[in-house]
């Protein structure tokens, strides 16, 4: 017997027919003798609808009242799943965030402070299943709180930790985590195992299967996660710690996956004089405006000579960023602001890189062989990222996927 | 300064534009220096949608989970109205049924046991407005409860009583209570005042402006109600006790209004032998099946001779009632079951009837003059009802409205 949290996203809860197939899956898990708590999202599109209503009601809406409105979507699906399970003869009950309670601080993007699972222990003792709305909690002042978009993944992981579950299964509309986007590389392989850190890097560079925050939380408490399809009956991808990996996967590739992120825009400040505080004067106002700056590249040929400063920001923040930089033009003294949105960040990710020096070199070489120009480079312990012209996206991903031995072997 | 509960129905809350005009009205009331609590329904159509989802999920749904699902509609409109009020610079907050709390017993058609208004006193002390979802409460086991369809009227009246409000204003899509259906009689007048008892009779015979249960509750605690339009800025109809009426309206008509109800079907059991217990044998199974029997007419020409027994049931219960009666056919010994759905009940209602003997006689005479056949008659202290063929509905209502002096005086 195991304790399992099963989490289903909005696509899986979109309408009674889909809720019925979710219920079938939950029943099957319970019939294997497991203690099951289910965390559900609102029906696909419902949270957007509710957010839109708040925005129409007032441009600057009260976060507390926003939470009252948007928390209702998960309330509806929780009740409907409990009804559906009961209709199949399965003992089930829903428990709202304020009923357990799921204690949270703040509004709109509240943090979970703790979950009282005493009531769930009773439910399991009686052979029942608990259905719990994701995305919501209750504050110390007894006010409804929501966790921010995608927060249901975090609800599921937090509940799994509080319940001391053996595993948290995240059911979604893909079969797991892939070595790269299968729409670009048909021979992409579903990964059986990835580490939390790899998952964080893969998610932050565009392979958005799980909310980053939920992966960080699972990592901190070493809660095993599984990403799997709610529509097909197959094992998915297990997300585990480095330790858990040891010995299990001797022949694992050094590179685990190739990710890409189209949501980056490049800004270059040309002929920037080499003055003390010049670079700081550019980035300070961006930080003050909460604009996320990612890849930063500057090479000063010799001390005192002017140079170009290149960096990337999210495409949606580009015009905002340019306006902020214009304000410091005189102070910084650069010549021109050049921008480019037709760029893409491509990254090779893998914990194996730590003990393998040649990955970056191999990446540059592979791209150079195909004549792909690199506009910027950043590296971390388990990731090498390059910025390239968007036109080369598919080519770059394919050649890297192949060069790092990730292509699925097929027998013809 | 007065304490006022304002209640808005689903039509008034259907969409942000309408919620904005509700908010304008609430602000105006507060700006007159009044302490205001607002009770809201779900957006028009939303409760139906949620109920339908429950039905699709399982034919026999759990009442507890049904309440979880359907209570969400009012949660959404409460939050949206609070946001809209704040957007207009009005201090406002929503309080869910479980937050106040509104204590209730049971599910699906729960009864309100009490409302804790301590938090509202604080809100009013700080010059704020409280927005409260109608239709919902919380049980002693901390479960969500709903009050049954139309329950928001009852929520509003119960809250007004708990708050010791001076008045409970029910905003709706009509301008008040009329002497009769204005679609039938264009010269129908809006009533300035009706008594609780008159309102109960008018509602139960088809003038459905307020949920009957809410009127009964207001009567028990002598809470003044006002029915008025959420779309036009005019005084509505005050619903008060008999005492409050005294002296205020010397020239009030004996008859307050003419109501009608198409939702009745007639059943006649012909040539029923005059046996002890015969009538009881007919009605006992109907009562056991919760079929409401309304007008009952029997005249036995002489003891021992057979007679016809006529009564009415709601049209929706007709086939069910006939099936039940078939089961006792032999025991009762009637000849035939005759049914008729093309009938309508027309009623004259007014507290003045208590001291005025001639109303029934005048009613029969007026109908006879126009050749309208009366199929059954029932009377109560403040009401005379006749069952007539449906074809004569409009004619009967018009001639009675005129005969009892209810037509609006117009100057041409």
């Amino acid at each position: 017997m195991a304790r399992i949290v099963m989490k289903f996203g909005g696509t899986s809860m979109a309408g009674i027919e889909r809720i019925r197939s979710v219920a079938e899956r939950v029943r099957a898990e319970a019939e294997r003798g497991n203690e099951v708590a289910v965390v559900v999202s609102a029906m696909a599109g419902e949270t957007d609808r509710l957010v839109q209503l708040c925005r129409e009601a007032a441009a600057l809406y009260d976060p507390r009242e926003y939470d009252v409105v948007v928390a209702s979507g998960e309330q509806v699906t929780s009740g409907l799943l409990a009804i559906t399970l009961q209709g199949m003869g399965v003992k089930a009950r829903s428990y709202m965030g304020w009923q357990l309670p799921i204690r949270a601080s703040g509004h709109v993007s509240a943090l979970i402070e703790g979950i009282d699972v005493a009531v769930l222990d009773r439910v399991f003792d009686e052979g029942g299943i608990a259905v719990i709305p994701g995305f919501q909690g209750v504050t110390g002042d007894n006010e409804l709180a929501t966790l921010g978009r995608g927060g249901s993944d975090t609800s599921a992981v937090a509940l799994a930790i509080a319940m001391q579950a053996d595993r948290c299964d995240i059911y979604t509309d893909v079969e797991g985590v892939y070595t790269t986007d299968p729409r670009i590389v048909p021979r992409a392989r579903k990964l059986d195992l990835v580490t939390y850190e790899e998952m964080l890097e893969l998610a932050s560079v565009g392979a958005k299967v799980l909310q980053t925050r939920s992966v960080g939380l699972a990592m901190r408490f070493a809660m095993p996660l599984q990403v799997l399809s709610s529509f097909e009956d197959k094992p998915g991808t297990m997300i585990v710690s480095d330790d858990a990996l040891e010995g299990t996967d001797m022949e694992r590739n050094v590179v685990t996956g190739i990710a890409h992120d189209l949501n980056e825009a490049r800004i270059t400040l040309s002929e920037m004089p080499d003055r003390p505080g010049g670079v700081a004067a550019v980035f300070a106002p961006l930080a003050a405006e909460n604009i996320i700056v990612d890849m930063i590249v500057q090479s000063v040929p010799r001390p005192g000579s002017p140079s170009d400063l290149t960096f990337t920001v999210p495409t949606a923040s580009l015009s905002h960023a340019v306006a902020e930089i214009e304000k410091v033009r005189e102070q910084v003294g650069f010549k021109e602001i050049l921008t480019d949105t037709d760029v893409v960040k491509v990254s090779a990710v893998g914990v194996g890189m730590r003990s393998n020096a040649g990955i970056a070199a191999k990446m540059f070489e592979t791209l150079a062989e195909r004549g792909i120009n690199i506009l910027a480079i950043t590296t971390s312990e388990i990731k090498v990222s390059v910025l390239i012209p968007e036109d080369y996206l598919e080519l770059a991903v394919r050649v890297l996927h192949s060069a790092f031995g990730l292509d699925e072997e097929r027998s013809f």
Side-chain angles (χ1 to χ4, degrees), chain A:
Chain A
M1 192 194 71
R3 274 200 168 188
I4 297 172
V5 171
M6 304 173 78
K7 185 262 169 182
F8 293 90
T11 318
S12 311
M13 301 300 291
I16 296 296
E17 273 322 301
R18 292 203 175 169
I19 291 176
R20 216 181 297 282
S21 72
V22 164
E24 297 281 8
R25 225 161 251 281
V26 171
R27 176 168 65 176
E29 195 69 72
E31 281 175 354
R32 283 193 279 274
N34 295 321
E35 293 178 340
V36 178
V38 189
V39 173
V40 296
S41 297
M43 291 192 191
E46 178 66 359
T47 305
D48 286 339
R49 186 181 76 87
L50 295 168
V51 169
Q52 185 56 30
L53 284 171
C54 290
R55 287 196 182 131
E56 284 173 30
L60 289 170
Y61 46 75
D62 180 357
R64 287 181 305 200
E65 300 297 341
Y66 167 96
D67 284 351
V68 170
V69 174
V70 299
S72 66
E74 281 75 11
Q75 177 171 331
V76 169
T77 47
S78 302
L80 290 176
L81 179 57
I83 290 173
T84 308
L85 283 166
Q86 291 174 5
M88 293 177 175
V90 179
K91 195 168 175 178
R93 273 285 305 280
S94 72
Y95 297 90
M96 299 300 102
W98 55 270
Q99 286 174 318
L100 279 181
I102 297 172
R103 284 171 281 113
S105 62
H107 286 288
V108 178
S109 53
L111 300 175
I112 294 180
E113 293 185 326
I115 302 179
D116 192 336
V117 294
V119 64
L120 299 188
D121 288 332
R122 275 204 307 282
V123 170
F124 297 146
D125 284 349
E126 294 166 7
I129 286 172
V131 181
I132 292 149
F135 182 60
Q136 66 171 241
V138 64
T139 69
D141 295 336
N142 211 27
E143 291 173 358
L144 285 169
T146 68
L147 308 184
R149 299 309 297 269
S152 293
D153 288 344
T154 302
S155 300
V157 172
L159 182 67
I161 293 164
M163 275 170 53
Q164 303 188 284
D166 297 286
R167 201 172 75 227
C168 180
D169 287 345
I170 310 282
Y171 287 83
T172 172
D173 47 7
V174 297
E175 287 175 32
V177 182
Y178 279 77
T179 51
T180 196
D181 186 339
R183 286 168 303 183
I184 296 178
V185 183
R187 293 180 73 177
R189 283 186 296 114
K190 190 185 73 190
L191 293 159
D192 295 329
L193 278 174
V194 292
T195 70
Y196 298 118
E197 287 161 300
E198 287 171 337
M199 190 64 209
L200 285 171
E201 293 291 1
L202 289 168
S204 67
V205 290
K208 298 214 192 313
V209 180
L210 279 178
Q211 201 198 20
T212 303
R213 183 173 156 199
S214 66
V215 180
L217 182 63
M219 180 163 74
R220 204 150 63 247
F221 289 87
M223 171 57 62
L225 288 181
Q226 184 178 199
V227 173
L228 65 176
S229 165
S230 29
F231 304 111
E232 304 206 34
D233 208 5
K234 292 180 186 174
T237 300
M238 287 298 304
I239 307 167
V240 295
S241 62
D242 273 24
D243 308 349
L245 211 63
E246 262 168 41
T248 61
D249 204 8
M250 295 289 287
E251 298 187 274
R252 206 160 183 274
N253 276 301
V254 173
V255 171
T256 305
I258 308 295
H260 70 271
D261 188 357
L262 278 165
N263 182 35
E264 301 253 339
R266 180 174 65 132
I267 298 177
T268 296
L269 308 183
S270 69
E271 295 180 36
M272 203 164 113
D274 185 23
R275 292 179 196 158
V279 173
V282 172
F283 294 122
L286 301 183
E289 294 290 308
N290 281 315
I291 296 168
I292 296 160
V293 175
D294 184 17
M295 311 177 92
I296 302 176
V297 181
Q298 187 184 35
S299 66
V300 182
R302 71 190 68 83
S305 70
S307 64
D308 296 345
L309 174 66
T310 295
F311 54 92
T312 61
V313 297
T315 308
S317 305
L318 179 60
S319 56
H320 187 183
V322 169
E324 289 301 315
I325 294 166
E326 282 291 0
K327 293 180 189 165
V328 295
R329 178 188 276 271
E330 280 191 40
Q331 181 189 349
V332 177
F334 53 83
K335 190 176 168 197
E336 275 181 300
I337 303 181
L338 307 166
T339 64
D340 188 358
T341 55
D342 298 333
V343 293
V344 61
K345 182 166 75 169
V346 175
S347 308
V349 175
V351 286
M353 288 187 198
R354 285 184 186 137
S355 52
N356 204 312
I359 299 301
K362 183 167 183 179
M363 191 165 176
F364 306 150
E365 194 181 283
T366 305
L367 295 173
E369 273 170 14
R370 299 301 181 120
I372 300 170
N373 215 8
I374 296 174
L375 308 172
I377 299 167
T378 53
T379 60
S380 79
E381 231 191 328
I382 66 164
K383 183 181 71 168
V384 180
S385 299
V386 294
L387 194 72
I388 62 169
E390 190 182 327
D391 280 347
Y392 290 89
L393 163 61
E394 292 82 1
L395 178 63
V397 170
R398 268 179 224 132
V399 295
L400 292 172
H401 196 264
S402 183
F404 288 114
L406 297 173
D407 286 355
E408 190 175 31
E409 294 195 17
R410 288 183 181 170
S411 43
F412 293 95

